[in-house]
Amino acid sequence: MARLKTQYNDEIKGKLIERFEYSSAMQAPKLEKITLNMGVGEAKQDKKLLEAAQTQLAQIAGQHPNVRRARKSIATYKLRDGMPVGVAVTLRDARMYEFLDRLVSIAIPRIRDFRGLNPKSFDGRGNYAMGIREQIIFPEIDYDEVDQTRGLDVIITTSAATDAQAKALLDAFGFPFVKIAQREPEAVAA
């Protein structure tokens, strides 16, 4: 069993039930899935870029990603319906918790000039989205074999009803959110 899943069941779930005063343990927010998405717009000219992105995302996630294709043609971008535009993978259960553990404890501390995660990146329904500019922060990626740095999106889907509940859940997992200082109202000079 994954370390973070055990921690959730033993510690975090009880604290969330106590904090938000749930009447049932089933109301406690939990992680449902983590989706990783890597856009590869240049893949329409070069298939090798798509294959490289696919292998790198597979190394990061530990699961083979799906190729995402364009849904409709856009002449401005020279894009035709059905062309590959990116790769994505959805993680659940044990792989999800293992990825989250690596993300929080290893990858995020390796981000250059990191000042904390934006606490305003919740969508209003308890889901959190973050962008990573370079895939080389993950230790699974061999720096010498990287042809170009690519970013990826990480979307964490929770069962929380509100953003406050989801933030409390992710805080408990150790997400380094930026502390937003509350401003005190300035006294009006009379």
Side-chain angles (χ1 to χ4, degrees):
M1 190 178 255
R3 181 179 72 90
L4 285 183
K5 187 170 186 175
T6 308
Q7 181 183 359
Y8 173 77
N9 289 330
D10 295 345
E11 302 168 21
I12 298 172
K13 190 174 185 179
K15 289 178 183 175
L16 291 173
I17 291 170
E18 185 179 311
R19 178 176 173 184
F20 293 105
E21 299 174 354
Y22 296 121
S23 59
S24 169
M26 297 302 288
Q27 290 177 302
K30 63 179 185 276
L31 295 176
E32 290 181 348
K33 65 182 178 180
I34 296 178
T35 308
L36 306 174
N37 179 32
M38 187 181 284
V40 190
E42 308 88 34
K44 59 187 174 205
Q45 284 101 14
D46 192 2
K47 295 283 183 195
K48 291 181 181 176
L49 292 175
L50 183 71
E51 292 170 5
Q54 220 171 358
T55 55
Q56 289 173 3
L57 193 58
Q59 289 172 343
I60 291 169
Q63 183 173 311
H64 187 72
N66 296 327
V67 175
R68 300 295 182 192
R69 300 192 177 276
R71 293 183 188 154
K72 62 182 185 177
S73 300
I74 303 173
T76 311
Y77 300 114
K78 298 179 182 174
L79 188 66
R80 299 287 168 253
D81 185 25
M83 282 185 166
V85 292
V87 291
V89 64
T90 302
L91 304 173
R92 298 178 195 274
D93 297 327
R95 283 196 178 128
M96 171 184 66
Y97 284 104
E98 291 293 335
F99 173 78
L100 188 70
D101 195 6
R102 283 183 288 132
L103 179 72
V104 171
S105 60
I106 299 171
I108 289 178
R110 292 177 65 172
I111 296 175
R112 276 187 281 147
D113 300 328
F114 182 69
R115 302 198 192 299
L117 297 174
N118 186 359
K120 296 181 181 178
S121 292
F122 288 94
D123 67 349
R125 295 185 190 101
N127 304 318
Y128 185 74
M130 63 180 279
I132 296 174
R133 292 181 189 209
E134 298 175 334
Q135 83 276 28
I136 55 176
I137 64 168
F138 290 96
E140 298 84 11
I141 302 295
D142 185 15
Y143 187 76
D144 297 330
E145 294 180 10
V146 173
D147 53 346
Q148 72 181 56
T149 57
R150 292 182 188 84
L152 65 127
D153 301 320
V154 179
I155 295 95
I156 300 168
T157 307
T158 68
S159 65
T162 65
D163 290 346
Q165 294 171 359
K167 186 174 184 308
L169 174 66
L170 296 181
D171 267 335
F173 278 123
F175 271 67
F177 288 111
V178 175
K179 305 287 188 249
I180 298 176
Q182 296 291 330
R183 286 184 166 186
E184 292 184 24
E186 296 177 16
V188 179

